[in-house]
């Protein structure tokens, strides 16, 4: 029986394993998947998790629930030695060990790209995982609660200031959804005023949403600015130390919430800890049929797809183009990868990957969106409905589709859920404190933003009210 090892449980890895389970004959091969998380994150839903439009657990798909014939190993692959058909695995607990294989599938995915900007590692939160989306939402809601008890001044102004760094799809969608949530919250906080909200989107290039053309991109900027946002193009964040943001234009302001979405970087295990061929960006070199190597120098028994693979884009008119690292390509590559592996096991020729884009679509907040397919551009409510329709169909499994639809229907009937459970990130605080007040200034604790969690500061209100616990 052949041993197939899949490195990474993202879109490409999950769909490859899922399709292999369905197509492999009994005794033909055994599949093992290694990933530190027990679930696939459906990243297009993260902006809606930020806004509370999708429950956090519904944006994640359990690997063990759906991959019933795949061996799941909870750990991180730290090195790939394909010459000896072995990988090094660092488990969540216990000692590092080696795992052998006969055929490897590399779908480790990209990682958040960070830059050495002072304060970013200590202050910023990413938007790549469910935990981060939940932390961003809870931190905003907690900031509103705290700001409502303070008089107008620098501290209140900082609490109501949000900064997103990066104008790609993840940044713009997260920014638009959080702005929509913050604006809707104002009617629940009569102590706060619309002109006190400060939302800053900082992008290093001269435009946002590079997947759409210039004119729709400019429309998105105007739409965000019409809603009160400040969009800084051709601008860098030079410092965020202590939450004090300094821009390359010289502008400075204090920001309680800083979200870093400035692009993805190559997975370090692929870029530096493997003997598989990689390009100058640290991506695995693959052929159009997703086998590792080139036509002149193929690598036997090695496959790759997704964000950490340099997959030739056969649908592009540009010579040498590579597919864009997004969900639309990753899950299609994962399914083709499974079919091609089956084909080679049965001595048939694999097929090349060629997919013509279905267009670019983004949500900009409740009832707002943009869609572009070639010269066709749709904006506003129709685009937002198209976004929801497409992604509820694309999220894996009918179980998840039904759960997401149920939450959307509930929200349509009863409105947004504005409950914050920030204290759940430190569940022992109430137990340890035993009802005692926190430190001076009302701040009970600050979490560790460098770990991707929001800082928690609970204000103990007067009149005997108790801080929220779970």
């Amino acid at each position: 029986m052949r041993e197939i090892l899949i490195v990474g449980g993202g879109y490409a890895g999950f769909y490859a394993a899922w399709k292999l389970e369905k197509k492999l004959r009994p005794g033909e091969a055994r599949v093992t998947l290694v990933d530190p998380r027990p679930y696939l994150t459906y990243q297009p839903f993260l902006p809606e998790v930020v806004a509370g439009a999708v429950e956090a657990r519904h944006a994640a798909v359990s690997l063990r629930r759906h991959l019933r014939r795949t061996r799941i190993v909870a750990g991180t692959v730290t090195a790939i030695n394909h010459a000896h058909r072995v990988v090094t695995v660092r488990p969540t607990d216990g000692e590092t060990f080696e795992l052998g294989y006969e055929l490897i599938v590399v779908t480790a995915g990209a990682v958040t790209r960070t830059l050495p900007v002072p304060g970013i590692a200590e202050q910023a939160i990413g938007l790549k995982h469910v935990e981060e989306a939940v932390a961003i939402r809870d931190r905003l809601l907690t900031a509103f609660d705290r700001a409502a008890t303070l008089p107008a001044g620098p501290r209140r102004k900082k609490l109501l200031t949000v900064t997103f760094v990066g104008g790609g799809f993840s940044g713009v969608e997260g920014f638009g959804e959080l702005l929509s949530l913050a604006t809707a919250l104002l009617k629940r906080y009569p102590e706060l005023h619309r002109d006190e909200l400060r939302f800053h989107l900082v992008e290093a290039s001269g435009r946002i949403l590079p997947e759409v053309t210039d004119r729709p991109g400019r429309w998105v900027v105007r739409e965000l600015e019409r809603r009160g946002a400040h969009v800084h193009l051709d601008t860098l964040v030079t410092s965020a130390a202590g939450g004090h943001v300094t821009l390359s234009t010289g502008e400075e302001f204090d920001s309680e919430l800083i979200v870093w979405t400035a692009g993805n970087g190559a997975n370090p295990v692929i870029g530096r800890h493997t003997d598989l061929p990689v390009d100058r960006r640290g991506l695995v070199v693959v052929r159009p049929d997703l086998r590792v190597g080139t036509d002149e120098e193929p690598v036997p028994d090695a496959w790759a797809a997704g964000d950490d693979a340099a997959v030739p884009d056969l649908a592009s008119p540009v010579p040498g183009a590579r597919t864009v690292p997004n969900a639309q390509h990753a899950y299609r590559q994962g399914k083709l990868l499974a079919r091609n592996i089956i084909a080679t096991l049965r001595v048939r020729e694999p097929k090349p990957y060629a997919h013509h884009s279905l267009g670019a679509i983004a949500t900009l907040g409740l009832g707002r969106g943009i869609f572009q397919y070639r010269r066709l551009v749709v904006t506003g409510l129709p685009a937002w409905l198209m976004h929801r329709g497409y992604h509820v169909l694309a999220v894996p499994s009918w179980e998840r589709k039904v759960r997401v639809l149920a939450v959307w229907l509930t929200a349509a009937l009863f409105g947004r859920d504005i409950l914050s459970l920030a204290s759940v990130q430190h569940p022992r605080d109430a137990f340890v404190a035993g009802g005692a007040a926190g430190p001076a200034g009302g701040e009970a604790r600050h979490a560790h933003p460098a770990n991707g969690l929001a800082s928690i500061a609970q204000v103990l209100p007067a009149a005997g009210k108790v801080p929220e616990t779970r």
Side-chain angles (χ1 to χ4, degrees):
M1 183 182 296
R2 304 277 318 255
E3 293 285 347
I4 301 175
L5 177 67
I6 300 177
V7 180
Y11 299 106
F14 174 84
Y15 277 100
W18 206 11
K19 294 300 179 182
L20 282 171
E21 283 192 352
K22 296 178 180 179
K23 294 180 177 296
L24 284 171
R25 297 166 181 161
E28 189 171 18
R30 181 165 49 193
V31 181
T32 299
L33 186 148
V34 183
D35 196 278
R37 286 180 168 81
Y39 55 81
L40 156 73
T41 300
Y42 189 71
Q43 292 182 0
F45 275 158
L46 292 186
E48 296 207 52
V49 173
V50 167
V54 171
E55 287 294 327
R57 287 184 177 86
H58 300 168
V61 180
S62 170
L63 299 180
R64 292 184 182 274
R65 180 186 179 110
H66 297 285
L67 302 180
R68 300 179 181 178
R69 293 194 292 134
T70 298
R71 177 192 175 196
I72 306 296
V73 177
T76 302
V77 172
T78 58
I80 300 173
N81 186 339
H82 189 63
H84 294 89
R85 302 297 195 274
V86 68
V87 298
T88 303
V89 179
R90 184 179 66 240
T92 306
D93 293 300
E95 298 294 325
T96 298
F97 61 90
E98 291 186 341
L99 202 58
Y101 63 86
E102 294 179 60
L103 186 152
I104 192 169
V105 176
V106 181
T107 55
V111 297
T112 300
R113 181 185 63 190
T114 57
L115 300 175
V117 178
I120 287 296
E122 296 76 22
Q123 301 293 328
I125 304 175
L127 187 51
K128 197 172 181 63
H129 301 291
V130 172
E131 303 92 332
E132 295 171 324
V134 172
I136 291 168
R137 169 181 165 80
D138 284 343
R139 189 163 182 175
L140 178 77
L141 294 172
T142 302
F144 265 69
D145 285 333
R146 294 166 61 190
T149 66
L150 296 173
R155 184 63 189 143
R156 176 159 150 167
K157 186 176 181 180
K158 180 180 180 180
L159 286 167
L160 298 176
T161 300
V162 175
T163 304
F164 271 65
V165 185
F169 261 87
S170 178
V172 171
E173 288 191 308
F175 183 82
E177 287 287 352
L178 200 64
L179 175 60
S180 178
L181 172 62
T183 304
L185 283 174
L186 289 172
K187 64 182 178 182
R188 306 293 183 184
Y189 291 84
E191 306 92 340
L192 306 178
H193 306 287
R194 178 65 185 85
D195 57 5
E196 292 184 280
L197 286 182
R198 294 288 187 273
F199 270 68
H200 297 270
L201 176 62
V202 184
E203 167 56 38
S205 69
R207 52 169 299 183
I208 61 174
L209 295 180
E211 290 85 353
V212 303
T213 54
D214 289 345
R215 188 175 178 182
R218 289 193 296 268
W219 178 87
V220 173
V221 172
R222 292 195 302 271
E223 167 67 13
L224 293 174
E225 290 178 337
R226 184 187 63 80
R227 293 160 55 190
H230 304 272
V231 181
H232 308 267
L233 301 178
D234 292 315
T235 305
L236 300 173
V237 173
T238 58
S239 176
H244 183 75
V245 178
T246 303
L247 304 181
S248 58
T249 57
E251 186 174 350
E252 299 182 24
F253 50 86
D254 291 326
S255 182
E256 179 70 12
L257 176 57
I258 302 173
V259 182
W260 183 269
T261 61
N264 294 324
N267 194 303
V269 68
I270 306 304
R272 299 191 294 272
H273 302 288
T274 180
D275 56 354
L276 296 173
V278 298
D279 65 12
R280 57 183 179 82
R281 297 173 297 167
L283 304 179
V284 181
V285 176
V286 298
R287 299 188 290 186
D289 60 9
L290 306 180
R291 287 185 286 186
V292 174
T294 63
D295 291 336
E296 295 76 22
E297 296 183 43
V299 178
D301 302 323
W303 302 75
D307 291 358
D308 61 7
V311 180
D313 190 353
L314 301 184
S316 172
V318 181
R322 299 290 183 262
T323 57
V324 177
N326 61 20
Q328 190 177 137
H329 284 298
Y331 94 88
R332 286 178 171 83
Q333 290 170 8
K335 292 193 290 186
L336 176 65
L337 200 153
R339 292 196 297 269
N340 281 351
I341 289 175
I342 296 292
T344 56
L345 291 178
R346 298 171 187 172
V347 199
R348 297 200 302 263
E349 280 299 310
K351 296 181 179 180
Y353 176 76
H355 170 66
H356 293 273
S357 174
L358 301 177
I361 191 165
T363 174
L364 303 174
L366 188 64
R368 301 175 177 92
I370 184 169
F371 167 76
Q372 181 178 19
Y373 177 70
R374 298 182 180 177
R375 294 185 179 182
L376 173 66
V377 178
V378 180
T379 61
L381 180 61
W384 178 76
L385 292 172
M386 293 167 66
H387 177 275
R388 287 204 160 184
Y390 172 80
H391 284 299
V392 80
L393 291 174
V395 67
S397 82
W398 280 102
E399 172 252 346
R400 277 296 181 261
K401 299 180 199 298
V402 171
R403 290 183 186 273
V404 170
L405 282 172
V407 172
W408 284 345
L409 177 61
T410 304
L413 293 174
F414 301 108
R416 294 175 184 267
D417 187 343
I418 62 170
L419 180 66
S420 169
L421 293 178
S423 57
V424 77
Q425 296 169 30
H426 293 277
R428 296 185 66 250
D429 279 359
F431 172 73
V432 172
E443 294 189 359
R445 172 193 285 246
H446 287 285
H448 303 281
N451 293 335
L453 298 178
S455 65
I456 300 174
Q458 296 170 330
V459 177
L460 303 181
K465 293 185 180 178
V466 192
E468 181 184 45
T469 58
R470 186 181 188 185

